[in-house]
CSV table of all heavy atoms in Angstrom, one decimal:
chain,number,residue,atom,x,y,z
K,1,MET,N,-7.1,27.5,-22.3
K,1,MET,CA,-6.7,27.2,-20.9
K,1,MET,C,-6.9,28.4,-20.1
K,1,MET,O,-6.3,29.5,-20.4
K,1,MET,CB,-5.2,26.7,-20.9
K,1,MET,CG,-4.9,26.3,-19.5
K,1,MET,SD,-3.3,25.4,-19.2
K,1,MET,CE,-2.5,25.3,-20.7
K,2,ALA,N,-7.7,28.4,-19.1
K,2,ALA,CA,-8.0,29.5,-18.2
K,2,ALA,C,-7.4,29.2,-16.8
K,2,ALA,O,-7.7,28.2,-16.3
K,2,ALA,CB,-9.5,29.8,-18.2
K,3,GLY,N,-6.7,30.2,-16.3
K,3,GLY,CA,-6.1,30.0,-14.9
K,3,GLY,C,-5.2,28.8,-14.8
K,3,GLY,O,-5.0,28.3,-13.7
K,4,GLY,N,-4.5,28.5,-15.9
K,4,GLY,CA,-3.6,27.4,-15.9
K,4,GLY,C,-4.3,26.0,-15.9
K,4,GLY,O,-3.6,25.0,-15.7
K,5,LEU,N,-5.6,26.0,-16.1
K,5,LEU,CA,-6.3,24.7,-16.1
K,5,LEU,C,-6.9,24.5,-17.5
K,5,LEU,O,-7.3,25.4,-18.2
K,5,LEU,CB,-7.5,24.7,-15.1
K,5,LEU,CG,-7.1,25.0,-13.6
K,5,LEU,CD1,-8.4,25.1,-12.8
K,5,LEU,CD2,-6.2,23.9,-13.1
K,6,ALA,N,-6.9,23.2,-17.9
K,6,ALA,CA,-7.4,22.9,-19.2
K,6,ALA,C,-8.4,21.7,-19.1
K,6,ALA,O,-8.2,20.9,-18.1
K,6,ALA,CB,-6.3,22.4,-20.2
K,7,GLU,N,-9.4,21.6,-19.9
K,7,GLU,CA,-10.3,20.5,-19.8
K,7,GLU,C,-9.6,19.2,-20.3
K,7,GLU,O,-9.0,19.2,-21.3
K,7,GLU,CB,-11.5,20.8,-20.7
K,7,GLU,CG,-12.6,19.7,-20.5
K,7,GLU,CD,-13.9,19.9,-21.3
K,7,GLU,OE1,-14.6,20.9,-20.9
K,7,GLU,OE2,-14.2,19.1,-22.2
K,8,VAL,N,-9.8,18.2,-19.5
K,8,VAL,CA,-9.4,16.9,-19.8
K,8,VAL,C,-10.5,15.9,-19.5
K,8,VAL,O,-11.2,16.0,-18.5
K,8,VAL,CB,-8.2,16.4,-18.9
K,8,VAL,CG1,-7.8,15.0,-19.2
K,8,VAL,CG2,-7.0,17.4,-19.2
K,9,ARG,N,-10.8,15.0,-20.5
K,9,ARG,CA,-11.9,14.0,-20.3
K,9,ARG,C,-11.2,12.7,-19.8
K,9,ARG,O,-10.3,12.3,-20.4
K,9,ARG,CB,-12.7,13.8,-21.5
K,9,ARG,CG,-13.6,14.9,-21.8
K,9,ARG,CD,-14.6,14.5,-22.9
K,9,ARG,NE,-15.5,15.7,-23.1
K,9,ARG,CZ,-16.6,15.8,-22.4
K,9,ARG,NH1,-17.0,14.9,-21.5
K,9,ARG,NH2,-17.4,16.9,-22.6
K,10,CYS,N,-11.8,12.1,-18.8
K,10,CYS,CA,-11.4,10.8,-18.4
K,10,CYS,C,-11.6,9.8,-19.5
K,10,CYS,O,-12.8,9.7,-20.0
K,10,CYS,CB,-12.1,10.3,-17.1
K,10,CYS,SG,-11.6,8.7,-16.6
K,11,GLU,N,-10.6,9.1,-19.9
K,11,GLU,CA,-10.8,8.1,-21.0
K,11,GLU,C,-11.6,6.9,-20.6
K,11,GLU,O,-12.1,6.2,-21.5
K,11,GLU,CB,-9.4,7.7,-21.5
K,11,GLU,CG,-8.6,8.8,-22.1
K,11,GLU,CD,-7.2,8.5,-22.3
K,11,GLU,OE1,-6.7,7.4,-22.0
K,11,GLU,OE2,-6.5,9.4,-22.8
K,12,ALA,N,-11.8,6.7,-19.3
K,12,ALA,CA,-12.6,5.5,-18.9
K,12,ALA,C,-14.1,5.9,-18.8
K,12,ALA,O,-14.9,5.1,-19.3
K,12,ALA,CB,-12.1,5.0,-17.5
K,13,CYS,N,-14.4,7.0,-18.1
K,13,CYS,CA,-15.8,7.3,-17.9
K,13,CYS,C,-16.3,8.5,-18.7
K,13,CYS,O,-17.5,8.7,-18.8
K,13,CYS,CB,-16.1,7.6,-16.4
K,13,CYS,SG,-15.4,9.1,-15.8
K,14,GLY,N,-15.4,9.2,-19.3
K,14,GLY,CA,-15.8,10.3,-20.2
K,14,GLY,C,-16.2,11.6,-19.5
K,14,GLY,O,-16.4,12.6,-20.1
K,15,LEU,N,-16.1,11.7,-18.2
K,15,LEU,CA,-16.4,12.9,-17.4
K,15,LEU,C,-15.3,13.9,-17.6
K,15,LEU,O,-14.1,13.6,-17.5
K,15,LEU,CB,-16.7,12.6,-16.0
K,15,LEU,CG,-17.9,11.9,-15.6
K,15,LEU,CD1,-18.0,11.6,-14.1
K,15,LEU,CD2,-19.1,12.7,-16.0
K,16,PRO,N,-15.7,15.2,-17.9
K,16,PRO,CA,-14.7,16.2,-18.0
K,16,PRO,C,-14.3,16.8,-16.7
K,16,PRO,O,-15.1,16.9,-15.7
K,16,PRO,CB,-15.4,17.3,-18.9
K,16,PRO,CG,-16.8,17.2,-18.4
K,16,PRO,CD,-17.0,15.7,-18.1
K,17,VAL,N,-13.0,17.2,-16.6
K,17,VAL,CA,-12.5,17.9,-15.4
K,17,VAL,C,-11.6,19.0,-16.0
K,17,VAL,O,-11.2,19.0,-17.1
K,17,VAL,CB,-11.6,17.0,-14.5
K,17,VAL,CG1,-12.5,15.9,-13.9
K,17,VAL,CG2,-10.4,16.5,-15.1
K,18,ARG,N,-11.3,20.0,-15.2
K,18,ARG,CA,-10.3,21.0,-15.5
K,18,ARG,C,-9.1,20.6,-14.7
K,18,ARG,O,-9.2,20.4,-13.5
K,18,ARG,CB,-10.8,22.4,-15.2
K,18,ARG,CG,-12.0,22.7,-16.1
K,18,ARG,CD,-12.6,24.1,-15.9
K,18,ARG,NE,-11.7,25.2,-15.6
K,18,ARG,CZ,-11.0,25.8,-16.6
K,18,ARG,NH1,-11.1,25.5,-17.8
K,18,ARG,NH2,-10.2,26.8,-16.2
K,19,ALA,N,-8.0,20.4,-15.4
K,19,ALA,CA,-6.7,20.0,-14.7
K,19,ALA,C,-5.6,20.9,-15.0
K,19,ALA,O,-5.5,21.6,-16.0
K,19,ALA,CB,-6.4,18.6,-15.2
K,20,GLY,N,-4.7,21.0,-14.0
K,20,GLY,CA,-3.5,21.8,-14.2
K,20,GLY,C,-2.3,21.1,-13.5
K,20,GLY,O,-2.5,20.4,-12.6
K,21,LYS,N,-1.2,21.3,-14.1
K,21,LYS,CA,0.1,20.7,-13.5
K,21,LYS,C,1.1,21.9,-13.2
K,21,LYS,O,1.4,22.6,-14.1
K,21,LYS,CB,0.7,19.8,-14.6
K,21,LYS,CG,-0.1,18.6,-15.0
K,21,LYS,CD,0.0,17.5,-14.0
K,21,LYS,CE,1.3,16.8,-13.9
K,21,LYS,NZ,1.4,15.8,-12.9
K,22,ARG,N,1.5,22.0,-12.0
K,22,ARG,CA,2.5,22.9,-11.6
K,22,ARG,C,3.9,22.3,-11.5
K,22,ARG,O,4.8,23.0,-11.6
K,22,ARG,CB,2.1,23.5,-10.2
K,22,ARG,CG,0.8,24.1,-10.1
K,22,ARG,CD,0.6,25.4,-10.9
K,22,ARG,NE,-0.7,25.9,-10.8
K,22,ARG,CZ,-1.6,26.0,-11.7
K,22,ARG,NH1,-1.3,25.6,-12.9
K,22,ARG,NH2,-2.8,26.5,-11.6
K,23,SER,N,3.9,21.0,-11.5
K,23,SER,CA,5.2,20.3,-11.5
K,23,SER,C,4.8,18.9,-11.9
K,23,SER,O,3.7,18.5,-12.0
K,23,SER,CB,5.9,20.3,-10.1
K,23,SER,OG,5.2,19.5,-9.2
K,24,ALA,N,5.9,18.0,-12.1
K,24,ALA,CA,5.7,16.6,-12.4
K,24,ALA,C,4.9,15.9,-11.3
K,24,ALA,O,4.1,15.0,-11.6
K,24,ALA,CB,7.0,15.9,-12.7
K,25,MET,N,5.0,16.4,-10.1
K,25,MET,CA,4.4,15.7,-9.0
K,25,MET,C,3.1,16.3,-8.6
K,25,MET,O,2.3,15.6,-7.9
K,25,MET,CB,5.3,15.7,-7.7
K,25,MET,CG,6.6,14.9,-8.0
K,25,MET,SD,6.4,13.2,-8.4
K,25,MET,CE,5.7,12.6,-6.8
K,26,GLN,N,2.8,17.5,-8.9
K,26,GLN,CA,1.6,18.2,-8.4
K,26,GLN,C,0.6,18.3,-9.5
K,26,GLN,O,0.9,18.8,-10.7
K,26,GLN,CB,2.0,19.6,-7.9
K,26,GLN,CG,0.8,20.4,-7.2
K,26,GLN,CD,-0.1,21.1,-8.2
K,26,GLN,OE1,0.2,21.4,-9.3
K,26,GLN,NE2,-1.3,21.3,-7.7
K,27,THR,N,-0.7,17.9,-9.2
K,27,THR,CA,-1.8,18.0,-10.2
K,27,THR,C,-3.0,18.6,-9.5
K,27,THR,O,-3.3,18.2,-8.4
K,27,THR,CB,-2.1,16.6,-10.8
K,27,THR,OG1,-1.0,16.0,-11.3
K,27,THR,CG2,-3.2,16.7,-11.8
K,28,SER,N,-3.6,19.6,-10.1
K,28,SER,CA,-4.9,20.2,-9.6
K,28,SER,C,-6.0,19.7,-10.5
K,28,SER,O,-5.9,19.7,-11.7
K,28,SER,CB,-4.8,21.7,-9.6
K,28,SER,OG,-3.8,22.2,-8.7
K,29,VAL,N,-7.1,19.3,-9.8
K,29,VAL,CA,-8.3,18.8,-10.6
K,29,VAL,C,-9.5,19.5,-10.0
K,29,VAL,O,-9.7,19.6,-8.8
K,29,VAL,CB,-8.4,17.3,-10.5
K,29,VAL,CG1,-9.7,16.8,-11.2
K,29,VAL,CG2,-7.2,16.6,-11.0
K,30,GLN,N,-10.3,20.1,-10.9
K,30,GLN,CA,-11.6,20.7,-10.6
K,30,GLN,C,-12.6,20.0,-11.4
K,30,GLN,O,-12.6,19.9,-12.6
K,30,GLN,CB,-11.6,22.2,-10.9
K,30,GLN,CG,-10.7,23.1,-10.1
K,30,GLN,CD,-10.8,24.5,-10.5
K,30,GLN,OE1,-11.4,24.9,-11.5
K,30,GLN,NE2,-10.3,25.4,-9.6
K,31,TRP,N,-13.6,19.5,-10.6
K,31,TRP,CA,-14.8,18.8,-11.3
K,31,TRP,C,-15.8,19.9,-11.7
K,31,TRP,O,-16.1,20.8,-10.9
K,31,TRP,CB,-15.4,17.8,-10.3
K,31,TRP,CG,-14.5,16.7,-10.0
K,31,TRP,CD1,-13.5,16.6,-9.0
K,31,TRP,CD2,-14.4,15.5,-10.7
K,31,TRP,NE1,-12.9,15.4,-9.1
K,31,TRP,CE2,-13.4,14.7,-10.1
K,31,TRP,CE3,-15.1,14.9,-11.8
K,31,TRP,CZ2,-13.1,13.4,-10.5
K,31,TRP,CZ3,-14.8,13.7,-12.2
K,31,TRP,CH2,-13.8,12.9,-11.6
K,32,SER,N,-16.4,19.8,-12.8
K,32,SER,CA,-17.4,20.7,-13.3
K,32,SER,C,-18.8,20.2,-12.9
K,32,SER,O,-19.8,21.0,-13.0
K,32,SER,CB,-17.3,21.0,-14.8
K,32,SER,OG,-17.5,19.7,-15.4
K,33,GLY,N,-18.9,19.0,-12.4
K,33,GLY,CA,-20.1,18.5,-11.9
K,33,GLY,C,-19.8,17.4,-10.9
K,33,GLY,O,-18.8,17.5,-10.2
K,34,PRO,N,-20.7,16.5,-10.6
K,34,PRO,CA,-20.5,15.5,-9.6
K,34,PRO,C,-19.3,14.6,-10.0
K,34,PRO,O,-19.0,14.4,-11.2
K,34,PRO,CB,-21.8,14.7,-9.6
K,34,PRO,CG,-22.5,15.0,-10.8
K,34,PRO,CD,-22.0,16.3,-11.3
K,35,ALA,N,-18.6,14.1,-9.0
K,35,ALA,CA,-17.5,13.2,-9.2
K,35,ALA,C,-18.0,11.9,-9.9
K,35,ALA,O,-19.2,11.6,-9.8
K,35,ALA,CB,-16.8,12.9,-7.9
K,36,CYS,N,-17.1,11.2,-10.5
K,36,CYS,CA,-17.5,9.9,-11.1
K,36,CYS,C,-17.9,8.9,-10.1
K,36,CYS,O,-17.6,9.1,-8.9
K,36,CYS,CB,-16.3,9.4,-12.0
K,36,CYS,SG,-14.9,8.8,-11.1
K,37,ASP,N,-18.6,7.9,-10.5
K,37,ASP,CA,-19.1,6.9,-9.5
K,37,ASP,C,-18.0,6.3,-8.7
K,37,ASP,O,-18.1,6.0,-7.5
K,37,ASP,CB,-19.9,5.8,-10.3
K,37,ASP,CG,-21.2,6.4,-10.8
K,37,ASP,OD1,-21.7,7.4,-10.3
K,37,ASP,OD2,-21.7,5.7,-11.7
K,38,ARG,N,-16.8,6.0,-9.4
K,38,ARG,CA,-15.7,5.4,-8.7
K,38,ARG,C,-15.2,6.2,-7.5
K,38,ARG,O,-14.9,5.7,-6.4
K,38,ARG,CB,-14.6,5.1,-9.7
K,38,ARG,CG,-13.4,4.3,-9.1
K,38,ARG,CD,-12.5,3.9,-10.1
K,38,ARG,NE,-11.4,3.1,-9.5
K,38,ARG,CZ,-10.5,2.5,-10.1
K,38,ARG,NH1,-10.4,2.6,-11.4
K,38,ARG,NH2,-9.6,1.9,-9.5
K,39,LEU,N,-15.0,7.5,-7.8
K,39,LEU,CA,-14.6,8.4,-6.7
K,39,LEU,C,-15.7,8.6,-5.6
K,39,LEU,O,-15.4,8.6,-4.4
K,39,LEU,CB,-14.2,9.8,-7.2
K,39,LEU,CG,-12.9,9.9,-7.9
K,39,LEU,CD1,-12.6,11.3,-8.4
K,39,LEU,CD2,-11.8,9.4,-7.0
K,40,ALA,N,-16.9,8.7,-6.0
K,40,ALA,CA,-18.0,8.8,-5.0
K,40,ALA,C,-18.0,7.6,-4.1
K,40,ALA,O,-18.2,7.7,-2.9
K,40,ALA,CB,-19.3,9.0,-5.8
K,41,GLU,N,-17.9,6.4,-4.7
K,41,GLU,CA,-17.8,5.2,-3.9
K,41,GLU,C,-16.7,5.1,-3.0
K,41,GLU,O,-16.8,4.8,-1.8
K,41,GLU,CB,-17.8,4.0,-4.9
K,41,GLU,CG,-17.9,2.6,-4.2
K,41,GLU,CD,-17.8,1.5,-5.1
K,41,GLU,OE1,-18.6,1.5,-6.1
K,41,GLU,OE2,-17.0,0.5,-4.9
K,42,ALA,N,-15.5,5.5,-3.5
K,42,ALA,CA,-14.3,5.5,-2.6
K,42,ALA,C,-14.5,6.5,-1.4
K,42,ALA,O,-14.1,6.2,-0.3
K,42,ALA,CB,-13.1,5.9,-3.4
K,43,ALA,N,-15.1,7.7,-1.7
K,43,ALA,CA,-15.3,8.7,-0.7
K,43,ALA,C,-16.3,8.2,0.4
K,43,ALA,O,-16.1,8.3,1.6
K,43,ALA,CB,-15.8,10.0,-1.3
K,44,ALA,N,-17.3,7.5,-0.1
K,44,ALA,CA,-18.3,7.0,0.8
K,44,ALA,C,-17.7,5.9,1.7
K,44,ALA,O,-17.9,5.9,2.9
K,44,ALA,CB,-19.5,6.4,0.1
K,45,THR,N,-16.9,5.1,1.1
K,45,THR,CA,-16.2,4.0,1.9
K,45,THR,C,-15.3,4.6,3.0
K,45,THR,O,-15.2,4.1,4.1
K,45,THR,CB,-15.4,3.1,1.0
K,45,THR,OG1,-16.3,2.5,0.0
K,45,THR,CG2,-14.7,2.0,1.7
K,46,ALA,N,-14.6,5.7,2.6
K,46,ALA,CA,-13.6,6.3,3.5
K,46,ALA,C,-14.3,7.3,4.4
K,46,ALA,O,-13.6,7.8,5.3
K,46,ALA,CB,-12.5,7.0,2.7
K,47,GLY,N,-15.6,7.6,4.2
K,47,GLY,CA,-16.3,8.6,5.0
K,47,GLY,C,-15.7,10.0,4.8
K,47,GLY,O,-15.7,10.8,5.7
K,48,ARG,N,-15.3,10.3,3.6
K,48,ARG,CA,-14.7,11.6,3.2
K,48,ARG,C,-15.4,12.2,2.0
K,48,ARG,O,-16.0,11.5,1.2
K,48,ARG,CB,-13.2,11.5,2.9
K,48,ARG,CG,-12.4,10.9,4.1
K,48,ARG,CD,-11.1,10.4,3.6
K,48,ARG,NE,-10.3,11.5,3.1
K,48,ARG,CZ,-9.0,11.4,2.7
K,48,ARG,NH1,-8.5,10.2,2.7
K,48,ARG,NH2,-8.3,12.4,2.2
K,49,PRO,N,-15.4,13.6,1.9
K,49,PRO,CA,-15.9,14.2,0.6
K,49,PRO,C,-15.1,13.7,-0.6
K,49,PRO,O,-13.9,13.5,-0.4
K,49,PRO,CB,-15.8,15.7,0.9
K,49,PRO,CG,-15.2,15.9,2.2
K,49,PRO,CD,-14.9,14.5,2.8
K,50,PRO,N,-15.7,13.6,-1.7
K,50,PRO,CA,-14.9,13.2,-2.9
K,50,PRO,C,-13.7,14.1,-3.2
K,50,PRO,O,-12.7,13.6,-3.7
K,50,PRO,CB,-15.9,13.3,-4.1
K,50,PRO,CG,-17.3,13.1,-3.4
K,50,PRO,CD,-17.1,13.7,-2.0
K,51,ALA,N,-13.7,15.4,-2.8
K,51,ALA,CA,-12.6,16.3,-3.1
K,51,ALA,C,-11.4,15.8,-2.3
K,51,ALA,O,-10.2,16.2,-2.7
K,51,ALA,CB,-13.0,17.7,-2.7
K,52,LEU,N,-11.5,15.1,-1.3
K,52,LEU,CA,-10.4,14.7,-0.5
K,52,LEU,C,-9.9,13.2,-0.8
K,52,LEU,O,-9.0,12.7,-0.1
K,52,LEU,CB,-10.7,14.8,1.0
K,52,LEU,CG,-11.1,16.2,1.5
K,52,LEU,CD1,-11.4,16.2,2.9
K,52,LEU,CD2,-10.0,17.2,1.2
K,53,VAL,N,-10.4,12.6,-1.8
K,53,VAL,CA,-10.0,11.3,-2.2
K,53,VAL,C,-9.1,11.4,-3.4
K,53,VAL,O,-9.4,12.1,-4.3
K,53,VAL,CB,-11.3,10.4,-2.6
K,53,VAL,CG1,-10.9,9.1,-3.1
K,53,VAL,CG2,-12.2,10.3,-1.4
K,54,PRO,N,-7.9,10.7,-3.3
K,54,PRO,CA,-7.0,10.7,-4.4
K,54,PRO,C,-7.8,10.3,-5.7
K,54,PRO,O,-8.7,9.5,-5.7
K,54,PRO,CB,-5.9,9.7,-4.1
K,54,PRO,CG,-6.0,9.6,-2.6
K,54,PRO,CD,-7.4,9.8,-2.2
K,55,THR,N,-7.3,10.9,-6.8
K,55,THR,CA,-8.0,10.6,-8.1
K,55,THR,C,-7.9,9.1,-8.5
K,55,THR,O,-7.0,8.4,-8.1
K,55,THR,CB,-7.5,11.5,-9.2
K,55,THR,OG1,-8.3,11.5,-10.3
K,55,THR,CG2,-6.1,11.2,-9.6
K,56,CYS,N,-8.8,8.7,-9.3
K,56,CYS,CA,-8.8,7.3,-9.8
K,56,CYS,C,-7.7,7.1,-10.8
K,56,CYS,O,-7.2,8.1,-11.5
K,56,CYS,CB,-10.1,7.0,-10.4
K,56,CYS,SG,-10.5,7.7,-12.0
K,57,PRO,N,-7.2,5.9,-11.0
K,57,PRO,CA,-6.1,5.7,-11.9
K,57,PRO,C,-6.4,6.0,-13.3
K,57,PRO,O,-5.5,6.5,-14.1
K,57,PRO,CB,-5.8,4.2,-11.7
K,57,PRO,CG,-6.4,3.8,-10.4
K,57,PRO,CD,-7.5,4.7,-10.2
K,58,GLU,N,-7.6,5.8,-13.7
K,58,GLU,CA,-8.0,6.1,-15.1
K,58,GLU,C,-7.9,7.6,-15.4
K,58,GLU,O,-7.5,8.0,-16.5
K,58,GLU,CB,-9.4,5.6,-15.5
K,58,GLU,CG,-9.4,4.1,-15.6
K,58,GLU,CD,-9.7,3.4,-14.2
K,58,GLU,OE1,-9.8,4.1,-13.2
K,58,GLU,OE2,-9.8,2.2,-14.2
K,59,LEU,N,-8.4,8.4,-14.5
K,59,LEU,CA,-8.3,9.9,-14.6
K,59,LEU,C,-6.8,10.3,-14.6
K,59,LEU,O,-6.4,11.1,-15.4
K,59,LEU,CB,-9.1,10.6,-13.6
K,59,LEU,CG,-9.0,12.2,-13.7
K,59,LEU,CD1,-9.5,12.6,-15.0
K,59,LEU,CD2,-9.8,12.8,-12.6
K,60,ARG,N,-6.0,9.8,-13.7
K,60,ARG,CA,-4.6,10.1,-13.7
K,60,ARG,C,-3.9,9.8,-15.0
K,60,ARG,O,-3.2,10.6,-15.5
K,60,ARG,CB,-3.9,9.3,-12.6
K,60,ARG,CG,-2.4,9.3,-12.6
K,60,ARG,CD,-1.8,10.5,-12.0
K,60,ARG,NE,-2.3,10.8,-10.7
K,60,ARG,CZ,-2.2,12.0,-10.2
K,60,ARG,NH1,-1.8,13.0,-10.9
K,60,ARG,NH2,-2.7,12.2,-9.0
K,61,ALA,N,-4.3,8.6,-15.6
K,61,ALA,CA,-3.7,8.2,-16.9
K,61,ALA,C,-4.1,9.2,-18.0
K,61,ALA,O,-3.3,9.5,-18.9
K,61,ALA,CB,-4.1,6.8,-17.2
K,62,SER,N,-5.4,9.6,-17.9
K,62,SER,CA,-5.9,10.6,-18.9
K,62,SER,C,-5.2,11.9,-18.8
K,62,SER,O,-4.8,12.5,-19.8
K,62,SER,CB,-7.4,10.8,-18.7
K,62,SER,OG,-8.1,9.6,-18.9
K,63,ILE,N,-4.9,12.4,-17.6
K,63,ILE,CA,-4.2,13.6,-17.4
K,63,ILE,C,-2.7,13.5,-17.9
K,63,ILE,O,-2.2,14.3,-18.6
K,63,ILE,CB,-4.3,14.1,-15.9
K,63,ILE,CG1,-5.7,14.5,-15.6
K,63,ILE,CG2,-3.3,15.2,-15.6
K,63,ILE,CD1,-6.0,14.7,-14.1
K,64,ASP,N,-2.1,12.4,-17.5
K,64,ASP,CA,-0.7,12.1,-18.0
K,64,ASP,C,-0.6,12.1,-19.5
K,64,ASP,O,0.3,12.6,-20.1
K,64,ASP,CB,-0.2,10.8,-17.4
K,64,ASP,CG,0.1,10.9,-15.9
K,64,ASP,OD1,0.1,12.0,-15.3
K,64,ASP,OD2,0.2,9.9,-15.2
K,65,ARG,N,-1.6,11.5,-20.1
K,65,ARG,CA,-1.6,11.4,-21.6
K,65,ARG,C,-1.8,12.8,-22.2
K,65,ARG,O,-1.1,13.2,-23.2
K,65,ARG,CB,-2.7,10.5,-22.1
K,65,ARG,CG,-2.7,10.4,-23.7
K,65,ARG,CD,-3.9,9.5,-24.2
K,65,ARG,NE,-4.0,8.3,-23.4
K,65,ARG,CZ,-3.4,7.1,-23.7
K,65,ARG,NH1,-2.6,7.1,-24.8
K,65,ARG,NH2,-3.6,6.1,-23.0
K,66,ALA,N,-2.6,13.7,-21.6
K,66,ALA,CA,-2.8,15.0,-22.0
K,66,ALA,C,-1.5,15.8,-21.9
K,66,ALA,O,-1.2,16.6,-22.8
K,66,ALA,CB,-3.9,15.7,-21.2
K,67,VAL,N,-0.7,15.6,-20.9
K,67,VAL,CA,0.6,16.2,-20.8
K,67,VAL,C,1.5,15.7,-21.9
K,67,VAL,O,2.1,16.5,-22.6
K,67,VAL,CB,1.2,16.0,-19.4
K,67,VAL,CG1,2.7,16.4,-19.3
K,67,VAL,CG2,0.4,16.6,-18.3
K,68,ARG,N,1.6,14.4,-22.1
K,68,ARG,CA,2.5,13.9,-23.1
K,68,ARG,C,2.1,14.4,-24.5
K,68,ARG,O,3.0,14.6,-25.4
K,68,ARG,CB,2.4,12.3,-23.1
K,68,ARG,CG,3.2,11.7,-22.0
K,68,ARG,CD,3.4,10.2,-22.2
K,68,ARG,NE,2.1,9.5,-22.5
K,68,ARG,CZ,1.3,9.0,-21.6
K,68,ARG,NH1,1.5,9.2,-20.3
K,68,ARG,NH2,0.2,8.4,-21.9
K,69,GLU,N,0.8,14.6,-24.8
K,69,GLU,CA,0.3,15.0,-26.1
K,69,GLU,C,0.3,16.5,-26.2
K,69,GLU,O,-0.1,17.0,-27.3
K,69,GLU,CB,-1.1,14.4,-26.3
K,69,GLU,CG,-1.1,12.9,-26.5
K,69,GLU,CD,-2.4,12.3,-26.6
K,69,GLU,OE1,-3.5,13.0,-26.5
K,69,GLU,OE2,-2.5,11.1,-26.9
K,70,GLY,N,0.7,17.2,-25.2
K,70,GLY,CA,0.8,18.7,-25.3
K,70,GLY,C,-0.5,19.4,-25.1
K,70,GLY,O,-0.6,20.6,-25.3
K,71,ARG,N,-1.6,18.7,-24.7
K,71,ARG,CA,-2.9,19.3,-24.4
K,71,ARG,C,-2.9,20.0,-23.0
K,71,ARG,O,-3.8,20.8,-22.8
K,71,ARG,CB,-4.0,18.3,-24.6
K,71,ARG,CG,-4.1,17.8,-26.0
K,71,ARG,CD,-5.3,16.8,-26.1
K,71,ARG,NE,-4.9,15.5,-25.6
K,71,ARG,CZ,-5.5,14.8,-24.6
K,71,ARG,NH1,-6.6,15.3,-24.1
K,71,ARG,NH2,-5.1,13.7,-24.1
K,72,LEU,N,-2.0,19.6,-22.2
K,72,LEU,CA,-1.9,20.2,-20.8
K,72,LEU,C,-0.4,20.4,-20.5
K,72,LEU,O,0.4,19.5,-20.6
K,72,LEU,CB,-2.5,19.2,-19.8
K,72,LEU,CG,-2.5,19.6,-18.3
K,72,LEU,CD1,-3.3,20.8,-18.1
K,72,LEU,CD2,-3.0,18.4,-17.5
K,73,GLU,N,-0.1,21.7,-20.2
K,73,GLU,CA,1.3,22.0,-20.0
K,73,GLU,C,1.6,22.0,-18.5
K,73,GLU,O,0.8,22.3,-17.6
K,73,GLU,CB,1.5,23.4,-20.5
K,73,GLU,CG,1.4,23.6,-22.0
K,73,GLU,CD,1.7,25.0,-22.4
K,73,GLU,OE1,2.3,25.8,-21.7
K,73,GLU,OE2,1.3,25.3,-23.5
K,74,VAL,N,2.8,21.6,-18.2
K,74,VAL,CA,3.4,21.7,-16.8
K,74,VAL,C,3.9,23.1,-16.7
K,74,VAL,O,4.9,23.5,-17.4
K,74,VAL,CB,4.4,20.6,-16.5
K,74,VAL,CG1,5.0,20.8,-15.1
K,74,VAL,CG2,3.9,19.2,-16.8
K,75,SER,N,3.3,23.9,-15.8
K,75,SER,CA,3.8,25.3,-15.7
K,75,SER,C,4.6,25.5,-14.4
K,75,SER,O,4.5,24.8,-13.5
K,75,SER,CB,2.6,26.2,-15.7
K,75,SER,OG,1.6,25.9,-14.7
């Protein structure tokens, strides 16, 4: 884990992200490449960059599972 971020793969699409949790409510996500198709589509529909679109439910579930399994710490 570097800079408080750990790699987490979305269980739905398999794309890797670097994620960090500062509290139960706060999550940081850094994409290492292009956003998944679902986020890209939501961003296009909203007329916003993918970075400003809330994460997809599948990625959120993957991050939550990583926390429960101890692969991602809440710092």
Side-chain angles (χ1 to χ4, degrees):
M1 183 168 3
L5 301 175
E7 183 175 297
V8 176
R9 286 194 177 270
C10 178
E11 295 168 1
C13 70
L15 289 176
V17 299
R18 293 181 40 81
K21 298 280 292 176
R22 304 290 179 248
S23 71
M25 297 300 294
Q26 189 278 337
T27 304
S28 297
V29 176
Q30 291 181 347
W31 294 87
S32 57
C36 71
D37 292 338
R38 184 172 183 174
L39 282 181
E41 182 179 312
T45 300
R48 299 166 62 180
L52 300 179
V53 174
T55 193
C56 71
E58 289 87 355
L59 180 57
R60 168 79 53 205
S62 299
I63 291 170
D64 290 346
R65 183 182 314 269
V67 170
R68 284 192 310 273
E69 293 177 354
R71 295 180 284 123
L72 180 62
E73 295 181 18
V74 179
S75 56

